[in-house]
Amino acid sequence: HLHVAYGNLAYLMLPPQGRLVPGHCIIAPISHAQSSRQVDEDAWEEIRNFKKCLVRMFAQEGKDCCFIETATKLGGFDGKHAVVECIPIPQQVSSKAPLYFKKAIDEAESEWSTHDAKKCLSTAPPKGLRGTIPENFPYFHVEFNMKGGFVHVIDDETKWRHNFGRSILIGLMNLPENLTDARQRPLAPDLLRLEMDAFLKLYDPVDWTKQLE
């Protein structure tokens, strides 16, 4: 009941728990992959189609899209399924987002990294994520409105804070700090239904998957 739209190779849904703000949603490939960097060209293109629709949709609300993805435990049996989160940010705040993320990644580097060369890499077009790092590297990636962003290669996964991206967004948008590490409870069913209805109403006019019917 949380699924918004299906392509042939990827889908869009609302997160069952842990949403930061109304409109927070996730894009994932249908076939198992542990990062969006690992999916094939066709699935990558469908993920991009969903991103384009979300950018268009939230622009009408005066918001920009911040896409975040953490890819860890690659190649292991317990590796998570690839998930790209989309968090809408008010435009007056989003202008600060790139510097905010870059500073946080650079500052945390000393905690994490042994390799100087792998600090904070730009994923600006035309290279993007796929042209910046190999597919078997664990990483944190943040992207702003599909205009590029930053990728950080995770050297030591045992030191990596899995809530890193969330905590930066919480600080950026001045949200309650307990959203970072608190057990992220699901929304009440009635509230979830209201949010789903509101989301579908906005998304329906931009839904690219209608072309598949």
Side-chain angles (χ1 to χ4, degrees), residues 15-208:
Q17 59 199 52
R19 75 105 163 103
L20 288 176
V21 290
H24 185 158
C25 54
I26 55 182
I27 308 166
I30 292 171
S31 296
H32 184 63
Q34 292 177 325
S35 76
S36 68
R37 175 66 188 82
Q38 290 180 344
V39 303
D40 66 25
E41 198 62 50
D42 292 338
W44 177 261
E45 208 44 53
E46 288 206 1
I47 291 170
R48 280 181 56 81
N49 285 347
F50 280 119
K51 286 181 177 179
K52 285 177 201 165
C53 293
L54 292 168
V55 169
R56 205 175 310 142
M57 168 180 130
F58 284 120
Q60 294 167 5
E61 300 281 289
K63 293 172 184 170
D64 289 334
C65 291
C66 180
F67 299 101
I68 59 172
E69 181 189 11
T70 303
T72 53
K73 297 184 178 173
L74 306 183
F77 291 114
D78 56 348
K80 293 191 176 90
H81 191 73
V83 166
V84 178
E85 297 182 63
C86 171
I87 299 93
I89 302 179
Q91 281 167 352
Q92 63 271 29
V93 177
S94 70
S95 57
K96 296 186 287 190
L99 272 176
Y100 212 84
F101 269 93
K102 187 173 188 320
K103 185 167 179 282
I105 291 170
D106 285 341
E107 281 174 2
E109 266 310 320
S110 53
E111 290 174 44
W112 306 324
S113 189
T114 49
H115 301 296
D116 228 29
K118 291 181 186 169
K119 279 193 174 166
C120 187
L121 306 173
S122 167
T123 57
K127 281 179 84 173
L129 179 65
R130 285 168 92 86
T132 305
I133 59 164
E135 66 178 61
N136 58 338
F137 279 24
Y139 63 82
F140 170 77
H141 184 222
V142 58
E143 184 185 15
F144 311 101
N145 260 11
M146 297 189 71
K147 292 176 181 169
F150 306 110
V151 63
H152 165 72
V153 174
I154 299 170
D155 269 344
D156 184 346
E157 294 185 38
T158 61
K159 292 181 185 171
W160 173 256
R161 297 198 313 273
H162 69 281
N163 273 332
F164 176 75
R166 287 176 68 84
S167 59
I168 295 174
L169 286 165
I170 285 163
L172 180 68
M173 292 193 280
N174 210 11
L175 298 170
E177 278 190 25
N178 64 353
L179 284 172
T180 310
D181 294 307
R183 188 175 292 282
Q184 290 141 17
R185 291 197 192 96
L187 292 177
D190 289 352
L191 184 55
L192 208 47
R193 203 167 297 116
L194 283 174
E195 291 216 357
M196 186 64 160
D197 290 346
F199 192 97
L200 286 170
K201 192 173 172 184
L202 287 172
Y203 186 75
D204 192 58
V206 298
D207 184 5
W208 74 274

